Amino acid sequence: MSSVSDYFGSLVFDDRVMRANLSADVYASLRKTIDEGSELDIGVANAVADAMKKWAVEKGATHFTHWFQPLTGITAEKHDSFISTSPDGSVIMEFSGKELIKGEPDASSFPSGGLRTTFEARGYTAWDPTSYAFIKGKTLCIPTAFCSYGGHALDKKTPLLRSMEALSKQALRILRLFGNTSAKRVVSSVGPEQEYFLISKEMYDKRPDLRFTGRTLFGAKPPKGQELDDHYFGVIKPSVAAFMEDLNDELWKLGILAKTEHNEVAPSQHELAPIYTTTNIATDHNQLTMEIMQKVAVKHGLVCLLHEKPFAGVNGSGKHNNWSVSYGGKNLLDPGSNPDENALFLTVLCAIIEAVDKHADLLRASVAGAGNDHRLGANEAPPAVISIYLGDQLADVIERLEKGVGGKAKKADTLKIGVDTLPALPKDATDRNRTSPFAFTGNKFEFRAPGSSVCCAGPTMVLNTIVAEAVDRIAGELEGAKVAGKAKPGEHTAAFHNALQKILQETLKAHSRIIFNGNGYEAGWLQEAEKRGLPNAPTTPAALAALDKKENRALFEKYGVMTARELKSRHEIFIEEYATKIRIEGTCARDMASEMILPAVKAEYAETVAAFAAAERMGVSSGTNALMDDLVELGSGLDAIKANLRKLDTALVENESAAVLAAMQALRTTVDSLEHKVSDKRWPLPKYRDMLFLY
Ligand code: ADP
Ligand code: MG
């Protein structure tokens, strides 16, 4: 068997392949486009396309596709074959530079929120050369951005790329102020930890709710859930181990750095984490990972559930977005080892504190969705209130930095920027505070609010943009102070440090309310958060309102991330998506209850009636009390199901999401209580105990 290093990236047209298959000139020109964003001329594009095609055909590819991420949150592709006719009747394999750099999918059915009317249905896709092309099945996939003909972004990737630019531009100003003259680009990186469930396909097929909505709409608690904590980091079962092995192989071939895997808290729940990489590549890779997980699972007779809350009563699944900012391999969230590096770190940290406090609403909106509503604030994932966890030591540093203002604090308590050295901060290796939505973990922030199915692009785009804004403000003030202090660029004079100290103190004074190091699951925190004025949007519709605020429109416009129209279209699309998902859930619950569960309960009822009648006929008295009890329970259960179904129907007709959710919950409570009263052989659905304890 070949070793991983032999086949890692074997299906990727990566730098190694480019270097080997392109002429030196073409390679250099392409590299310049990738690294510096310079324009690609058609001659180079033709040469690249030709090399790509030859490479792909050799690997068995027959088709190519522009692979993109429409606003549905999943990836889309439309396959074209390479074949082209030849005058002698044969076919040749062709792929031009034009086809590489631009595609025109008839994409009228993708959501556009009014940005593209159906009569001008064609949007276009444009090659994103910073993300390598790869082969999936028999298709060469070219990562692309997706826009309307008016140039409006119709995808998740375009604003993400723009937000990376915005952050880089602003962060470079700070670097220059600190004397760095060589850095060309500041990049944000993401390492998403992906949680998921695996259940047997045989059971999945018997559950319309899982097939249509991704979650179980009915199901009583099993005798054992996650109470014993025996699943977390437990021994991986053979069927799951085989799946993981196969999955790793597939991911590695695609150059995806799948690194760790373990069992999660809930039974049948697992996690996969890759080594972190540049944001847009990490996003592409995570989308691919989710897709391949599902494909590989089916090969193993399993189904991979990526929904945030497939099972009630056990933990749901998240996607911890680990995020950091770096230049030339140096991480700006690493405190460093001397006062200067510490000062830079504290500057970036204060900018992040300001950004998260100012735009907690946008971060919350970026993780909003029908599925995640079941997780956030349910004491299994962070609350819907966004706050920052710094850990005791860093919180202490920040407090001492803030105290310099107001004269109340003793002098010895304050921290002197550019003079004092930070203590060695521990790296959080053990998820010490799982209750915080946004936790500092040594050299990165872990955004824990995103749900398992979310596309990383949304939350990361928001993070990049809001931090760009805060960095911009701080850089502006510092630039002013530099002039006032007459320091040369990069000179770390006392005046510079004093100015920085003052700016950071003021930043903290205004924004340290967002820092919370306590237990986010405690009810007291929500009251405290309200006192601090932190926003709390418990549901998706409430959270999405942030996308309709004037100041947020101004923010995205100012940093060139999204136009007002683009933001508006997203707002509309996400609201519609939420309502549609709830409607599908409601309809599915209604159909299952009336077509599957009601008949089962009726049959049980009828059987009990017959038994009771027979006993009476025969004059048997023992057992009739029990039978009568059962009859009453089943009978009132039938009545309750009927009554709840009527309510659900009304809510569906009125198309009110909140009412549909409430009616579904009431129906579920009734149905789940009947699960134990109907004989096992008659119950029409696989139960939690059957689904969650796979071997
Ligand atoms: P923890 O155990 O604290 O969650 P891990 O080392 O397991 O930390 O990392 C979790 C995820 O965070 C991985 O995907 C990892 O690649 C990613 N990660 C680690 N360092 C960084 C960083 N500097 N920037 C972004 N992501 C990172
Ligand atoms: Mg973690």
Side-chain angles (χ1 to χ4, degrees):
M1 223 182 108
S2 57
S3 75
V4 177
S5 54
D6 291 336
Y7 63 87
F8 184 86
S10 59
L11 297 178
V12 186
F13 194 76
D14 60 15
D15 195 66
R16 294 173 300 184
V17 185
M18 289 181 194
R19 208 188 279 267
N21 292 289
L22 298 172
S23 73
D25 287 356
V26 170
Y27 173 77
S29 175
L30 179 59
R31 207 57 254 176
K32 218 167 134 61
T33 301
I34 295 173
D35 296 336
E36 294 165 30
S38 58
E39 217 169 296
L40 199 65
D41 85 80
I42 190 70
V44 173
N46 278 329
V48 176
D50 195 52
M52 237 185 222
K53 177 204 70 189
K54 280 195 185 117
W55 168 82
V57 168
E58 222 163 78
K59 301 226 171 233
T62 53
H63 288 66
F64 69 93
T65 182
H66 277 201
W67 185 75
F68 59 101
Q69 296 158 19
L71 291 166
T72 50
I74 51 168
T75 51
E77 43 197 72
K78 173 191 163 222
H79 298 186
D80 277 306
S81 78
F82 288 122
I83 62 165
S84 193
T85 51
S86 183
D88 66 0
S90 64
V91 294
I92 47 168
M93 301 298 251
E94 259 188 357
F95 184 49
S96 69
K98 212 170 130 251
E99 287 170 307
L100 168 63
I101 49 184
K102 195 164 170 178
E104 299 185 8
D106 177 3
S108 53
S109 295
F110 289 113
S112 77
L115 283 180
R116 185 173 28 68
T117 40
T118 28
F119 62 82
E120 48 148 355
R122 292 161 94 83
Y124 69 89
T125 48
W127 183 31
D128 165 20
T130 60
S131 186
Y132 297 130
F134 56 90
I135 296 173
K136 204 167 53 141
K138 287 182 171 293
T139 304
L140 168 69
C141 298
I142 299 147
T144 53
F146 178 40
C147 293
S148 76
Y149 260 108
H152 296 293
L154 295 174
D155 66 349
K156 303 219 171 191
K157 180 171 230 173
T158 306
L160 177 68
L161 291 170
R162 294 174 185 160
S163 76
M164 290 168 69
E165 275 311 305
L167 180 58
S168 177
K169 191 171 152 200
Q170 300 307 330
L172 279 176
R173 281 171 67 202
I174 291 279
L175 287 184
R176 297 288 181 259
L177 283 158
F178 274 82
N180 179 309
T181 50
S182 57
K184 283 210 176 93
R185 226 181 149 83
V186 174
V187 295
S188 58
S189 299
V190 163
E193 296 166 57
Q194 177 71 52
E195 292 181 342
Y196 60 96
F197 280 83
L198 283 179
I199 66 165
S200 104
K201 174 140 190 328
E202 201 189 326
M203 311 242 177
Y204 172 89
D205 287 340
K206 293 183 183 144
R207 300 265 338 193
D209 45 3
L210 282 176
R211 284 189 282 129
F212 291 111
T213 74
R215 73 178 181 106
T216 52
L217 301 173
F218 303 103
K221 268 200 178 142
K224 170 182 166 210
Q226 63 192 45
E227 304 87 349
L228 294 175
D229 282 329
D230 53 354
H231 194 253
Y232 191 50
F233 279 56
V235 175
I236 296 172
K237 290 170 184 169
S239 56
V240 175
F243 158 82
M244 286 178 172
E245 198 177 305
D246 219 8
L247 174 64
N248 280 337
D249 271 354
E250 293 304 317
L251 295 178
W252 287 335
K253 279 189 231 162
L254 286 166
I256 296 173
L257 296 153
K259 173 82 173 162
T260 57
E261 55 202 15
H262 61 77
N263 288 350
E264 259 300 329
V265 175
S268 290
Q269 191 187 29
H270 311 279
E271 178 189 296
L272 179 135
I275 297 174
Y276 67 97
T277 180
T278 320
T279 304
N280 70 319
I281 294 175
T283 301
D284 284 358
H285 281 180
N286 181 250
Q287 294 294 113
L288 267 176
T289 300
M290 291 194 287
E291 180 185 329
I292 289 165
M293 276 175 159
Q294 306 194 56
K295 282 193 181 147
V296 172
V298 171
K299 277 196 209 152
H300 288 257
L302 302 168
V303 171
C304 170
L305 304 175
L306 290 165
H307 191 282
E308 281 75 13
K309 192 74 180 175
F311 302 99
V314 296
N315 275 12
S317 302
K319 169 151 29 206
H320 295 173
N321 225 35
N322 294 273
W323 175 88
S324 65
V325 188
S326 63
Y327 66 97
K330 186 159 172 9
N331 183 356
L332 286 168
L333 287 177
D334 204 331
S337 53
N338 58 54
D340 270 347
E341 286 177 354
N342 290 171
L344 180 57
F345 163 74
L346 287 171
T347 307
V348 175
L349 182 66
C350 288
I352 293 170
I353 290 170
E354 169 173 327
V356 174
D357 183 42
K358 260 186 95 172
H359 299 291
D361 62 338
L362 278 179
L363 283 173
R364 172 64 184 92
S366 77
V367 301
N372 216 15
D373 279 2
H374 297 285
R375 238 184 109 240
L376 295 182
N379 284 6
E380 56 162 75
V385 177
I386 301 289
S387 65
I388 297 180
Y389 170 84
L390 291 179
D392 294 340
Q393 269 177 297
L394 189 55
D396 177 58
V397 167
I398 287 295
E399 210 179 310
R400 289 194 291 127
L401 181 55
E402 186 186 346
K403 268 186 186 165
V405 171
K408 271 196 216 121
K410 285 194 227 98
K411 258 220 151 92
D413 276 349
T414 58
L415 176 94
K416 280 261 164 264
I417 287 259
V419 182
D420 289 350
T421 309
L422 300 184
L425 301 171
K427 298 232 191 318
D428 186 349
T430 52
D431 274 6
R432 261 185 303 147
N433 190 332
R434 294 173 76 89
T435 71
S436 174
F438 198 69
F440 183 71
T441 50
N443 62 358
K444 62 184 190 288
F445 272 99
E446 188 167 336
F447 190 21
R448 294 189 174 121
S452 46
S453 70
V454 82
C455 169
C456 299
T460 315
M461 176 273 291
V462 168
L463 261 175
N464 289 348
T465 310
I466 65 179
V467 173
E469 181 198 44
V471 168
D472 177 14
R473 188 194 64 79
I474 291 174
E477 294 210 15
L478 259 180
E479 279 159 3
K482 272 241 163 184
V483 176
K486 294 205 170 43
K488 293 195 196 75
E491 223 170 58
H492 292 246
T493 59
F496 173 70
H497 283 137
N498 287 340
L500 180 62
Q501 179 114 15
K502 193 157 161 277
I503 293 167
L504 298 189
Q505 275 166 354
E506 278 163 9
T507 306
L508 289 174
K509 253 192 113 180
H511 299 290
S512 62
R513 63 171 185 168
I514 194 74
I515 299 168
F516 175 62
N517 284 301
N519 180 355
Y521 293 176
E522 269 169 20
W525 164 233
L526 291 187
Q527 287 155 21
E528 164 72 16
E530 198 181 339
K531 256 195 246 157
R532 294 188 191 185
L534 302 179
N536 181 6
T539 64
T540 294
L544 289 177
L547 304 186
D548 198 29
K549 284 195 200 156
K550 209 170 90 205
E551 62 267 32
N552 290 333
R553 272 198 293 278
L555 167 81
F556 287 118
E557 289 219 293
K558 178 167 181 193
Y559 293 96
V561 175
M562 275 187 280
T563 62
R565 277 194 73 194
E566 285 170 339
L567 185 63
K568 185 167 181 285
S569 77
R570 265 149 233 259
H571 184 221
E572 282 169 16
I573 288 167
F574 299 153
I575 285 180
E576 180 60 30
E577 178 187 87
Y578 173 80
T580 307
K581 280 191 176 163
I582 301 293
R583 203 161 53 235
I584 292 171
E585 286 188 352
T587 311
C588 185
R590 182 195 61 195
D591 294 353
M592 286 172 73
S594 45
E595 296 165 24
M596 299 173 88
I597 292 154
L598 209 51
V601 182
K602 277 188 205 159
E604 191 78 18
Y605 184 83
E607 191 180 86
T608 317
V609 169
F612 185 82
E616 285 223 303
R617 252 195 330 270
M618 293 163 72
V620 182
S621 62
S622 60
T624 47
N625 284 345
L627 286 172
M628 186 48 90
D629 274 357
D630 285 350
L631 265 183
V632 170
E633 282 180 0
L634 289 166
S636 56
L638 282 174
D639 289 341
I641 293 182
K642 271 286 189 195
N644 285 318
L645 272 172
R646 272 192 292 272
K647 277 191 205 145
L648 181 53
D649 258 330
T650 310
L652 282 167
V653 170
E654 285 167 3
N655 206 6
E656 270 290 329
S657 298
V660 172
L661 278 169
M664 273 168 62
Q665 187 51 50
L667 179 61
R668 176 177 191 148
T669 306
T670 310
V671 168
D672 289 0
S673 72
L674 283 165
E675 198 182 296
H676 303 302
K677 294 181 184 133
V678 172
S679 79
D680 199 40
K681 67 170 183 350
R682 187 167 275 141
W683 195 254
L685 298 166
K687 298 180 177 176
Y688 273 29
R689 65 163 184 250
D690 306 319
M691 289 184 287
L692 281 169
F693 299 90
L694 188 73
Y695 202 82

